[in-house]
Amino acid sequence: MTDALTLLSLLLVAASATAAVVVRDPSRQALVLAVLGLALAVLFTVLQAPDVGLSQLAVGSALTPLLILLSVRKVRRRGQPEDGER
């Protein structure tokens, strides 16, 4: 049973990592990165490392994607012309 869970979580990590590379939009990449962080947290938990899994859950699936989304939003705002500049 443990081998099946490990294999399933490894496949989930591989699929989400591939999706993170294939997706071209930075906002969507951040969301897929959150899914990848969640999949890695599950994998660490299955591999009996719950402390690493909790850290990955906090940083990899919450904090890092949030910072990326905020950065993308700020860059897109700077690139847009203001109302009087057109």
Side-chain angles (χ1 to χ4, degrees), residues 9-66:
S9 56
L10 281 172
L11 289 174
L12 183 63
V13 167
S16 57
T18 303
V21 172
V22 172
V23 173
R24 304 298 289 170
D25 183 40
S27 299
R28 289 186 182 163
Q29 279 180 340
L31 295 176
V32 173
L33 186 63
V35 172
L36 176 60
L38 183 64
L40 283 170
V42 169
L43 177 65
F44 290 140
T45 304
V46 167
L47 293 176
Q48 297 179 355
D51 53 343
V52 180
L54 284 174
S55 298
Q56 178 63 31
L57 188 64
V59 175
S61 61
L63 189 63
T64 303
L66 178 66

